[in-house]
Amino acid sequence: MFDPSVRDDPIELEVEPHEAGVRLDWYLAHKLPIYSRTMLRKVINAKGVTVDGHREKASAILKPGQRLRIVLPPLPKTGPRPEPMALDLLYEDESLAAVNKPPGMVVHPARGHWSGTLASGLQHHFNQLSSVGGPTRPGIVHRLDRDTSGVIVVAKTDTAHLHLAEQFQNRTVQKQYLAIVVGAPELDRDFIDLPIGLHPYHRERMAIRHDSPTSKEAQSFYEVVERFRGFALVRIVPKTGRTHQIRVHLTSIGCPVLCDRLYGGRASLTRGDVTGRPEDTTELLARQALHAQRLCIVHPVTGRPLEFTAPLPADMEAVLQVLRLSRSL
């Protein structure tokens, strides 16, 4: 339980016009992503948050210009504890490295995951990592969702980190994903240009929002790689980098990512689910079928282009093999 007597210096925030109209707990979760929503609600309930000097419920809807004062429990002051773990290195030099992140691994300590993270593995593996991201994110320039596998770039020096971060911010990094989706897109390829904002009532989700103050432009190009009865393998190139962008955009065209717990309505897939034999309960997939296959950057020191590619992981490959045997068109 959160103890309001254990406090760091208070944080003061003012609600901007484009941030208004959302719940207090949602606002704090997006302003303070290092804390979980569960922890933030405990802070609110323990009277650690005031709005214009008054205590409010987590469900209170914020208005423009309101001033928040938040007293939070202290976070770890040191970096993640180094932990030995196997890392699939795709590339390494003096400035950076590229890693093929496995599914199920959290990138950096946050939201209740303080061990077993990629950051802990990096701390153990490398002698030097950038410090720009703060003590809990050594070397971390960008991130992937816990259940998304694939390429992630790591900075070893602060100079490399700043250059790489600028490339991500300026959208000059080229990213390519592979996803197995439920259903099949009507078009072989298309460009999705739909804004994404906070879901109106589901705290964990994002949604297509045209009229929300939380909305931001979001653009993704997709093309169908392979079609099956009831499924498809899709390649996606996001032009922007919004939270859950690919998952929300694919859901918007009626083809959610397979086994996407938040947007797809199914958490796992068995061989019997594909073949139509319910007695076959062999599990094929237990996470969203989304893989960061390719990443292209400019080297922060030499200026030469670099391309990193991660092979499709075993669980997604197993699903495709069964689909090709039993669901081919």
Side-chain angles (χ1 to χ4, degrees):
M1 179 67 67
F2 167 65
D3 182 356
S5 66
V6 181
R7 302 185 171 191
D8 271 351
D9 292 335
I11 296 173
E12 296 188 357
L13 299 171
E14 181 174 345
V15 180
E16 301 291 338
H18 70 277
E19 298 172 326
V22 300
R23 292 169 50 116
L24 173 59
D25 55 352
W26 289 4
Y27 175 85
L28 292 178
H30 283 76
K31 282 290 189 178
L32 307 167
I34 193 66
Y35 289 91
S36 70
R37 285 184 175 87
T38 299
M39 174 58 75
L40 290 171
R41 283 194 290 272
K42 289 180 179 179
V43 172
I44 295 169
N45 293 336
K47 305 176 183 179
V49 179
T50 60
V51 180
D52 288 340
H54 304 286
R55 294 191 295 271
E56 296 284 359
K57 295 181 179 180
S59 59
I61 303 301
L62 296 180
K63 300 176 182 178
Q66 287 185 315
R67 293 181 177 275
L68 280 66
R69 187 175 187 272
I70 309 106
V71 179
L72 293 162
L75 288 170
K77 301 300 183 183
T78 59
R81 180 174 59 87
E83 298 179 46
M85 62 180 70
L87 293 180
D88 184 4
L89 284 178
L90 302 172
Y91 176 86
E92 181 184 3
D93 63 24
E94 297 81 2
S95 301
L96 59 89
V99 179
N100 180 16
K101 186 188 85 68
M105 177 181 282
V106 175
V107 171
H108 56 74
R111 300 181 181 274
H113 299 280
W114 296 104
S115 64
T117 66
L118 176 62
S120 294
L122 296 174
Q123 284 281 70
H124 181 270
H125 189 87
F126 296 112
N127 293 324
Q128 179 184 358
L129 291 167
S130 70
S131 61
V132 174
T136 63
R137 306 186 185 194
I140 304 299
V141 181
H142 64 120
R143 61 180 295 276
L144 295 174
D145 290 339
R146 175 181 180 176
D147 288 332
T148 299
S149 55
V151 183
I152 188 166
V153 171
V154 176
K156 290 187 174 182
T157 68
D158 287 351
T159 298
H161 190 126
L162 292 171
H163 279 277
L164 290 169
E166 184 178 17
Q167 293 180 49
F168 279 95
Q169 182 177 356
N170 294 337
R171 303 179 187 175
T172 57
V173 175
Q174 298 178 35
K175 296 177 283 186
Q176 180 175 289
Y177 291 74
L178 286 176
I180 303 173
V181 299
V182 180
E186 180 180 352
L187 302 175
D188 287 338
R189 59 187 60 82
D190 197 10
F191 187 73
I192 303 173
D193 188 359
L194 293 172
I196 293 176
L198 295 176
H199 196 282
Y201 55 85
H202 196 298
R203 296 191 188 101
E204 301 297 327
R205 294 182 186 177
M206 306 299 287
I208 302 299
R209 303 290 302 277
H210 293 279
D211 55 356
S212 169
T214 67
S215 296
K216 295 182 180 179
E217 65 168 346
Q219 301 162 337
S220 306
F221 171 81
Y222 76 84
E223 62 178 341
V224 179
V225 178
E226 199 168 354
R227 293 181 181 271
F228 310 96
R229 285 185 287 109
F231 300 89
L233 176 63
V234 178
R235 180 181 296 113
I236 312 100
V237 178
K239 300 298 182 183
T240 50
R242 308 306 176 202
T243 301
H244 296 179
Q245 175 174 319
I246 292 174
R247 299 159 66 188
V248 173
H249 272 174
L250 289 175
T251 300
S252 75
I253 62 170
C255 298
V257 176
L258 180 63
C259 293
D260 189 330
R261 298 170 189 268
L262 278 180
Y263 303 102
R266 175 198 289 271
S268 63
L269 183 79
T270 66
R271 188 186 303 271
D273 292 331
V274 180
T275 62
R277 298 175 180 174
E279 68 276 7
D280 189 346
T281 59
T282 304
E283 187 174 75
L284 295 175
L285 190 68
R287 57 98 178 187
Q288 62 204 30
L290 183 61
H291 178 65
Q293 180 194 34
R294 179 172 169 266
L295 186 68
C296 298
I297 62 169
V298 173
H299 195 283
V301 176
T302 67
R304 64 187 178 91
L306 290 176
E307 176 180 327
F308 312 119
T309 303
L312 203 64
D315 55 357
M316 289 180 63
E317 190 61 56
V319 173
L320 290 175
Q321 289 178 4
V322 176
L323 287 173
R324 287 164 182 152
L325 287 173
S326 60
R327 295 271 186 153
S328 293
L329 295 174

